[in-house]
Amino acid sequence: MTSNTADNSTTNTDTRSRRLIEGWLEPTGVALNGNKPWDLQIHNPDFYSRVVRQGSLGLGESYMDNWWTCERIDQFIERVLLANLGDRAHTRREKLFYQLQTSLTNLQSKTRAFMVGEQHYDFGNDLFEAMLDETMCYSCGYWKEATTLHEAQVAKLDLAARKLQLRPGMRVLDIGCGWGSFAEHAARHYGVHVTGITISKEQAELARKRCEGLDVEILLEDYRDLQGSFDRIVSIGMFEHVGHKNYQTYFETVERLLAPDGLFVLHTIGSNNSKIGADPFINKYIFPNGVLPSIAQIVTPTEDRMVMEDWQNFGADYDRTLMAWLENIEAAWPSLPYDERTQRMFRYYLASCAGAFRARDLQLWQIVFSKRRPGRYDAPR
């Protein structure tokens, strides 16, 4: 870790970098070493040049290194994004590297698909059990009538189940089943058989335990390898890992597996534009190779393949969900076997994402598709 004391050779560079950052922040109302909850408290003068050189990766890593603190990171990020400073987070070099990488490589190929499971979802069930509610849902809750995180997550699960029009005896596929939250809910309350797939060994192990005694099977498998036919398909919080080069294959797979009169519910975070990119901090530390789809990128590969029956956006609810997770993990941290740097990583990740959803920079969509099934479809809310 770099010392908190800068030598004289870097003083001029740090001063220029500080002035540059102050100029960027001026329209946001964020001050350096100010007294507002969203102001940054700088503990290492090298912070300024590091952020100018490395963009959002430098911002996040310097927070992990305790070079700066902020009482309300969520409010800081919200203000930055509302001032349209999001592009400043990506350096020219980082943009060029990512464009070359995504054009030459399929970052979400079958051989790379298990990377996010190994790095993030296998981080430790103890951490996620402390952070999440009893359902172990690691996706946006539905806060329309909920007052607690658990109520919001149960409401989200049931909203998806009702949109699928589940009936006893149906065969349901859960693509990216996580720790088995939807599989457990659907099998227990709707009497369906659920096949859940995940790329995380930790998730698969806990999901099987949680679904013991229910008509549920959990597989450690890539979606592209699946065979069979299912009356209903659901995918909650997994599409963000598919990647733009695989969207066509993904929807071809869903079409192949879905019964002729079936329904498919896709629950995914979404982007306001179709640029191919990723936040370098999130990509390195949280969700490697993750890409957020746009409306156009979802719709285009479904043309002449599936019918879009319903599209609901409740992205504003992710702000509240993330802040609830942050509160949970902060309260539980003293009992968890992880160091302070890891705590700061999760704090920055959760709070910054909450700020992004609050600024409406990110969306959360639940979309219902069919295969030209006859009759009218009315989606529940």
Side-chain angles (χ1 to χ4, degrees):
M1 185 181 297
T2 304
S3 167
N4 282 348
T5 302
D7 60 47
N8 291 334
S9 65
T10 64
T11 300
N12 291 335
T13 300
D14 290 335
T15 299
R16 288 194 297 269
S17 297
R18 174 169 181 156
R19 289 173 180 168
L20 184 59
I21 291 174
E22 286 176 332
W24 291 345
L25 292 178
E26 186 175 357
T28 71
V30 174
L32 300 175
N33 300 313
N35 57 10
K36 300 291 193 303
W38 52 79
D39 290 336
L40 305 189
Q41 309 302 317
I42 310 303
H43 308 307
N44 186 326
D46 291 342
F47 162 83
Y48 308 109
S49 57
R50 184 176 185 179
V51 171
V52 170
R53 291 194 317 270
Q54 299 179 343
S56 72
L57 180 60
L59 182 68
E61 287 187 332
S62 62
Y63 180 79
M64 291 170 61
D65 292 338
N66 201 24
W67 285 21
W68 63 276
T69 53
C70 178
E71 183 181 343
R72 291 295 301 269
I73 295 173
D74 55 307
Q75 294 182 7
F76 160 61
I77 296 295
E78 176 191 12
R79 286 171 168 268
V80 166
L81 293 176
L82 287 175
N84 296 315
L85 295 182
D87 278 345
R88 301 273 191 189
H90 302 272
T91 64
R92 188 173 302 176
R93 181 179 179 182
E94 178 263 320
K95 289 179 182 178
L96 178 61
F97 176 76
Y98 192 83
Q99 288 171 358
L100 288 172
Q101 190 180 30
T102 55
S103 63
L104 298 174
T105 308
N106 183 352
L107 296 179
Q108 299 82 17
S109 65
K110 286 174 66 174
T111 57
R112 299 171 62 91
F114 285 75
M115 288 178 61
V116 67
E118 294 168 354
Q119 178 171 323
H120 188 70
Y121 296 113
D122 288 350
F123 199 92
N125 285 337
D126 56 348
L127 186 147
F128 290 108
E129 285 176 314
M131 186 175 85
L132 308 178
D133 75 302
E134 301 95 304
T135 67
M136 290 297 289
C137 281
Y138 194 16
S139 56
C140 182
Y142 190 50
W143 293 85
K144 181 180 179 181
E145 298 177 353
T147 59
T148 67
L149 176 63
H150 182 63
E151 290 175 355
Q153 293 294 14
V154 171
K156 180 267 301 296
L157 294 174
D158 208 59
L159 180 67
R162 289 184 290 124
K163 286 179 179 178
L164 288 168
Q165 299 179 351
L166 298 182
R167 298 189 302 273
M170 281 184 169
R171 289 180 51 81
V172 179
L173 171 63
D174 185 354
I175 302 177
C177 65
W179 290 278
S181 54
F182 182 84
E184 188 273 336
H185 183 86
R188 185 179 304 280
H189 298 288
Y190 289 87
V192 296
H193 170 83
V194 185
T195 298
I197 63 167
T198 177
I199 55 174
S200 164
K201 294 179 181 178
E202 292 277 339
Q203 285 188 334
E205 181 181 349
L206 184 55
R208 291 178 184 128
K209 290 180 181 178
R210 296 182 71 242
C211 294
E212 283 181 3
L214 298 173
D215 195 5
V216 174
E217 62 174 342
I218 303 295
L219 306 176
L220 191 66
E221 191 167 346
D222 185 276
Y223 69 94
R224 286 161 283 206
D225 295 327
L226 285 168
Q227 300 295 324
S229 177
F230 299 88
D231 302 299
R232 301 290 189 263
I233 300 177
V234 65
S235 186
I236 299 176
M238 176 271 179
F239 195 70
E240 300 89 336
H241 305 299
V242 170
H244 68 288
K245 289 190 174 183
N246 303 303
Y247 292 157
Q248 190 79 21
T249 299
Y250 180 90
F251 283 106
E252 287 174 354
T253 300
V254 170
E255 181 190 31
R256 172 174 57 82
L257 297 172
L258 187 62
D261 61 346
L263 290 170
F264 167 49
V265 168
L266 177 64
H267 174 116
T268 182
I269 299 172
S271 172
N272 291 332
N273 61 65
S274 296
K275 296 176 183 177
I276 305 301
D279 179 86
F281 178 85
I282 297 295
N283 186 56
K284 180 176 180 178
Y285 288 98
I286 308 300
F287 299 121
N289 307 323
V291 179
L292 301 183
S294 69
I295 291 173
Q297 290 166 341
I298 292 174
V299 169
T300 300
T302 68
E303 291 182 359
D304 297 323
R305 175 166 284 114
M306 306 186 81
V307 175
M308 193 274 288
E309 302 281 6
D310 182 67
W311 194 302
Q312 182 182 8
N313 184 351
F314 52 96
D317 285 6
Y318 226 143
D319 173 15
R320 198 169 174 183
T321 303
L322 285 154
M323 294 304 290
W325 289 344
L326 178 58
E327 181 180 354
N328 284 348
I329 203 169
E330 295 281 33
W333 200 264
S335 64
L336 296 174
Y338 304 99
D339 60 20
E340 182 183 353
R341 195 168 191 269
T342 302
Q343 180 185 23
R344 296 177 71 83
M345 179 186 77
F346 269 89
R347 182 187 297 143
Y348 182 81
Y349 147 54
L350 294 170
S352 61
C353 287
F357 279 100
R358 194 178 308 151
R360 301 312 301 277
D361 194 61
L362 301 175
Q363 311 304 325
L364 188 285
W365 299 318
Q366 267 197 7
I367 315 162
V368 182
F369 291 98
S370 74
K371 291 171 64 173
R372 300 177 185 268
R373 70 200 301 264
R376 172 187 176 127
Y377 179 86
D378 290 310
R381 292 289 188 268

